[in-house]
């Protein structure tokens, strides 16, 4: 038994089995949630490469699977990613019924998750571009609304992600060649350009960012929330894997400059675009861009602390994004394509408060989930003599303004009486989300302690 | 596609070139079949549009030939493969640029991927990579066919 079989082959096989059990919705949901729950726990407790003991049974858990001369490796360094991916799948599936989505989406969700895990596992890393493309194609049935014309956002998502495939494959091949002759600057420059462009398409870096707000506007918020949680996360982890495995990139003085600049551009661009947005779903998309910018700056800093913060901040990130998408689904209801939220506090008080918590957590307002991690980023940049902290501040304040505008809309007077429009399940899920985000924000040290045994395996860049 | 195959198997692995040919033809055949089922007549292209496309294709062929020499030296692969691959890539990009219909966008991506795969297949002869690129082409074919059927269903 090997970890790639457990985390890639098993979900793929399960997806095919569940595809034929679509009429048995309870079985589908229970099975998929149990699977992801078990996989999360396994990644948290089990040291990969050692013997897995279940009662009297002992199973040797290898980390490598060879297929056609190439290897899929899920080692201890990937455990953090696996915990986050499986937990986010578990949480997402937990709110599936509440969001009003059909359980028919579960097989596609499993295929997307397995493909993205394969993208991170495959060695050499360049082949991850193919698995990301497969994940994009598997996500298409999730994004297509049966009765509405295909949205521009979905088409752009497909185009931009498909364009990254040749760029990353060719760039990766050139980088592999350049390791043999590192003095060939023309080749290194061209490889850097191709990889940079490929990663920019993946992460929706300005000016290729337009698909994210469009995608979040045109698709069901709960599905957009899931995809926008996973795709940038995997892209960032592939970048970390790649940059930590190639010495000349890791040691390059340009590394920090490029990542910081790109991150700041993303932060500020998301804030500027968000300033003009009226639609809450598009603002959600801009927040994803904002968050990606923040994570890119953290990668660029290359210190042990910032890498730890990068990995830890992925937890409140996925919780906040999933809570936001659930609250948007509740507020916008069946007709989740309009984005109208005027006076919704009087109809959905819990979901409105949940959305406020989730959005403010992403921004990093105290004492919510991402606040400690954003604070560490500010402190890390404080010593810098450049204008980076100022730009960062402009980005943070700029992003707050449209959020206040949105929340003013929540409390707009309306003729309807105050009522609690959410179901009990929805109230419980939203309250659990708020509680978790608040706990992470108030006790970040406890979160660090919980995952401290995994830090020794992280691919440190510094 | 057949031309790409003929060029590819002369310089690279025959089996890989054949797999890519079968995958790409299957993808396009799936889209064609779904179009045929619908019995959709092809739209008449306006004269200006036709002129633009012809001019763009001629320009792209010129650029491909000019670029192919430099890329050949840079990557160390035969010029014939570069010319063929680059023409397909540019045709795919042009199709992506001018298409509004999702099914045509998918066709554009397929053409682009085929052009790229013909160049990359020479550089990287891994079975897994060739198989995965072919799988991507097949998935794109399935998606394109679904888009075609869906466009008409939504219109109706």
């Amino acid at each position: 038994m090997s970890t790639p079989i457990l985390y890639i082959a098993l979900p793929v096989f399960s997806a095919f089995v569940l595809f034929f059990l679509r009429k048995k919705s309870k079985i589908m949901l229970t099975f998929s949630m149990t699977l992801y729950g078990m996989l999360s726990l396994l990644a948290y407790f089990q040291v990969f490469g050692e013997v897995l003991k279940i009662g009297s049974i002992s199973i040797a858990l290898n980390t490598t699977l060879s297929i056609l001369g190439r290897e899929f490796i899920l080692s201890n360094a990937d455990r953090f990613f696996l915990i986050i991916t499986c937990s986010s799948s578990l949480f997402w599936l937990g709110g599936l019924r509440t969001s009003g989505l059909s359980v028919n989406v579960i097989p596609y969700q499993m295929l997307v998750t397995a493909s993205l895990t394969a993208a991170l596992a495959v060695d050499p890393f360049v082949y991850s571009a193919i698995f990301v493309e497969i994940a994009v194609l598997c996500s298409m049935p999730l994004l297509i609304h049966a009765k509405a014309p295909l949205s521009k956002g979905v088409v752009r998502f497909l185009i931009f992600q498909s364009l990254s495939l040749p760029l990353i494959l060719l760039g990766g091949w050139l980088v592999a060649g350049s390791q043999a002759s590192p003095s060939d600057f023309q080749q290194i420059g061209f490889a850097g350009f191709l990889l940079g462009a490929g990663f920019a398409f993946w992460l929706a870096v300005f000016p290729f960012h337009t698909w994210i707000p469009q995608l979040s506007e045109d698709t069901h918020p709960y599905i957009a929330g899931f995809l926008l949680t996973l795709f940038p996360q995997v892209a960032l982890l592939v970048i970390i894997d790649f940059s930590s495995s190639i010495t000349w990139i890791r040691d390059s003085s340009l590394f920090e400059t490029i990542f910081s600049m790109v991150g700041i551009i993303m932060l500020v661009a998301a804030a500027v675009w968000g300033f003009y947005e009226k639609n809450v779903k598009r603002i959600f998309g801009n927040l994803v861009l904002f968050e990606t910018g923040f994570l890119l700056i953290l990668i660029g800093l290359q210190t042990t602390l910032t890498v730890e913060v990068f990995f830890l901040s992925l937890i409140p990130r996925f919780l906040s994004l999933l809570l936001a998408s659930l609250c948007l689904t509740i507020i916008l209801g069946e007709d989740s394509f309009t984005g109208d939220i005027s006076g919704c506090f009087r109809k959905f008080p819990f979901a409105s408060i949940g959305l406020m918590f989730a959005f403010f957590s992403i921004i990093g307002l105290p004492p919510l989930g991402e606040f400690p991690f954003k604070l560490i980023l500010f402190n890390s940049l404080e010593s810098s003599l450049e204008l980076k902290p100022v730009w960062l501040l402009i980005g943070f304040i700029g992003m707050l303004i449209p959020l206040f505008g949105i929340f003013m809309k929540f409390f707009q007077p309306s003729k309807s009486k105050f009522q609690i429009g959410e179901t009990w399940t929805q109230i419980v899920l939203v309250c659990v989300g708020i509680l978790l985000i608040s706990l992470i924000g108030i006790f970040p040290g406890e979160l660090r302690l919980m995952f401290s045994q995994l830090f020794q395996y992280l691919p440190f860049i510094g | 596609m057949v031309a790409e195959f003929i060029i590819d198997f002369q310089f690279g692995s025959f089996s890989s070139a054949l797999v890519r040919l079968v995958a790409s033809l299957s993808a396009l055949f799936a889209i064609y079949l779904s179009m045929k089922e619908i019995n959709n007549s092809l739209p008449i292209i306006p004269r200006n549009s036709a002129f633009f496309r012809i001019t763009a294709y001629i320009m792209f062929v010129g650029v491909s030939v000019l670029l192919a020499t430099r890329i050949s030296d840079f990557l160390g692969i035969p010029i014939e493969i570069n010319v063929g691959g680059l023409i397909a890539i540019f045709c795919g990009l042009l199709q992506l640029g001018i298409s509004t219909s999702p099914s045509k966008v998918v066709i554009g991506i397929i053409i682009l991927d085929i052009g790229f795969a013909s160049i990359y297949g020479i550089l990287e002869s891994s079975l897994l990579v060739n198989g995965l690129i072919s799988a991507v082409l097949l998935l794109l074919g399935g998606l394109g066919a679904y888009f075609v059927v869906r466009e008409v269903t939504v219109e109706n």
Side-chain angles (χ1 to χ4, degrees), chain A residues 18 36 72 175 223 228 333 345 369 377 424:
Chain A
L18 292 181
Y36 281 116
F72 290 84
V175 165
I223 286 174
L228 295 179
F345 183 77
L377 175 69
W424 277 109

Short mmCIF file of all heavy atoms in Angstrom, two decimals, chain A residues 18 36 72 175 223 228 333 345 369 377 424:
data_model
loop_
_atom_site.label_atom_id
_atom_site.label_comp_id
_atom_site.label_asym_id
_atom_site.label_seq_id
_atom_site.Cartn_x
_atom_site.Cartn_y
_atom_site.Cartn_z
N LEU A 18 -19.32 5.95 -7.14
CA LEU A 18 -20.42 6.83 -6.71
C LEU A 18 -21.21 7.39 -7.90
O LEU A 18 -22.39 7.71 -7.76
CB LEU A 18 -19.88 7.98 -5.86
CG LEU A 18 -19.32 7.61 -4.50
CD1 LEU A 18 -18.83 8.83 -3.76
CD2 LEU A 18 -20.37 6.90 -3.66
N TYR A 36 -13.19 11.19 3.28
CA TYR A 36 -12.33 12.36 3.48
C TYR A 36 -11.98 12.55 4.97
O TYR A 36 -10.88 13.01 5.29
CB TYR A 36 -12.96 13.61 2.88
CG TYR A 36 -12.76 13.66 1.39
CD1 TYR A 36 -13.82 13.60 0.51
CD2 TYR A 36 -11.47 13.73 0.86
CE1 TYR A 36 -13.63 13.62 -0.86
CE2 TYR A 36 -11.27 13.75 -0.50
CZ TYR A 36 -12.35 13.69 -1.35
OH TYR A 36 -12.13 13.70 -2.71
N PHE A 72 4.92 9.09 -8.43
CA PHE A 72 4.01 9.93 -7.64
C PHE A 72 4.47 9.78 -6.19
O PHE A 72 4.50 8.67 -5.66
CB PHE A 72 2.57 9.45 -7.78
CG PHE A 72 1.99 9.71 -9.14
CD1 PHE A 72 2.22 8.84 -10.18
CD2 PHE A 72 1.22 10.84 -9.37
CE1 PHE A 72 1.71 9.08 -11.44
CE2 PHE A 72 0.71 11.09 -10.62
CZ PHE A 72 0.95 10.22 -11.66
N VAL A 175 14.04 24.36 -17.63
CA VAL A 175 14.68 24.50 -16.31
C VAL A 175 15.48 23.23 -15.99
O VAL A 175 16.60 23.30 -15.49
CB VAL A 175 13.62 24.77 -15.22
CG1 VAL A 175 14.20 24.54 -13.84
CG2 VAL A 175 13.14 26.20 -15.31
N ILE A 223 -20.01 26.27 -5.14
CA ILE A 223 -19.04 25.60 -6.03
C ILE A 223 -17.85 26.52 -6.29
O ILE A 223 -16.69 26.08 -6.24
CB ILE A 223 -19.74 25.18 -7.34
CG1 ILE A 223 -20.63 23.99 -7.04
CG2 ILE A 223 -18.74 24.86 -8.44
CD1 ILE A 223 -21.49 23.53 -8.13
N LEU A 228 -12.26 27.92 -5.87
CA LEU A 228 -11.32 29.02 -5.63
C LEU A 228 -10.52 28.81 -4.33
O LEU A 228 -9.53 29.48 -4.09
CB LEU A 228 -12.06 30.35 -5.58
CG LEU A 228 -12.71 30.77 -6.90
CD1 LEU A 228 -13.43 32.09 -6.76
CD2 LEU A 228 -11.69 30.86 -8.02
N GLY A 333 -29.98 32.36 -1.96
CA GLY A 333 -31.03 31.35 -2.10
C GLY A 333 -31.02 30.63 -3.44
O GLY A 333 -29.97 30.47 -4.06
N PHE A 345 -30.12 41.40 6.08
CA PHE A 345 -29.95 41.11 7.51
C PHE A 345 -31.30 40.83 8.17
O PHE A 345 -31.38 40.03 9.11
CB PHE A 345 -29.25 42.30 8.21
CG PHE A 345 -28.99 42.04 9.67
CD1 PHE A 345 -27.94 41.23 10.06
CD2 PHE A 345 -29.80 42.59 10.65
CE1 PHE A 345 -27.71 40.96 11.40
CE2 PHE A 345 -29.58 42.34 11.99
CZ PHE A 345 -28.53 41.52 12.37
N GLY A 369 -9.75 34.98 12.19
CA GLY A 369 -8.82 33.92 11.80
C GLY A 369 -7.49 34.33 11.21
O GLY A 369 -6.44 33.87 11.64
N LEU A 377 3.07 39.08 8.76
CA LEU A 377 3.56 39.57 7.46
C LEU A 377 3.97 41.04 7.57
O LEU A 377 5.04 41.43 7.08
CB LEU A 377 2.48 39.38 6.40
CG LEU A 377 2.82 39.95 5.02
CD1 LEU A 377 3.94 39.15 4.37
CD2 LEU A 377 1.62 39.96 4.11
N TRP A 424 -32.36 25.33 10.80
CA TRP A 424 -31.52 25.03 11.96
C TRP A 424 -30.15 24.53 11.56
O TRP A 424 -29.13 24.88 12.15
CB TRP A 424 -32.22 24.01 12.87
CG TRP A 424 -33.20 24.67 13.79
CD1 TRP A 424 -34.56 24.61 13.74
CD2 TRP A 424 -32.90 25.55 14.88
NE1 TRP A 424 -35.12 25.39 14.71
CE2 TRP A 424 -34.13 25.98 15.45
CE3 TRP A 424 -31.71 26.03 15.44
CZ2 TRP A 424 -34.20 26.84 16.52
CZ3 TRP A 424 -31.79 26.88 16.53
CH2 TRP A 424 -33.02 27.28 17.07
#
